[in-house]
Amino acid sequence: LGDLSVTMKSLMQAMEALSDTKNKCMEHAADYEIVVKAREEELKALAVAKKIIQANIMCVWYNRQKKDF
């Protein structure tokens, strides 16, 4: 009976540790999803900014070319 009691106590501790680990894993997964979404938004914003800068460079270049003629 003593061995069973020790084994059951050990099992309960292991199950609690597993539950805690699962909860932490789920929290980290949720945090990771937030970070990924934020990065995607940043990349979209950078792509838009790049297009605007490229368009402005082309306008400046075109205007300089017109002045030279």
Side-chain angles (χ1 to χ4, degrees):
L1 191 62
D3 288 341
L4 179 58
S5 176
V6 170
T7 301
M8 292 300 292
K9 183 177 179 180
S10 179
L11 177 60
M12 292 303 293
Q13 290 172 341
M15 290 177 73
E16 287 177 15
L18 177 60
S19 178
D20 290 344
T21 301
K22 284 182 179 179
N23 289 336
K24 288 178 184 176
C25 182
M26 295 303 290
E27 289 174 14
H28 287 290
D31 291 344
Y32 178 76
E33 288 297 320
I34 292 169
V35 168
V36 168
K37 287 180 183 180
R39 291 268 164 84
E40 288 173 354
E41 292 298 318
E42 290 173 359
L43 290 173
K44 287 178 187 177
L46 288 170
V48 169
K50 180 180 175 183
K51 286 181 182 181
I52 291 169
I53 291 168
Q54 288 173 332
N56 285 336
I57 289 171
M58 290 303 294
C59 286
V60 168
W61 179 82
Y62 178 75
N63 286 333
R64 285 186 181 167
Q65 295 299 319
K66 282 186 8 181
K67 288 181 184 177
D68 290 341
F69 287 111

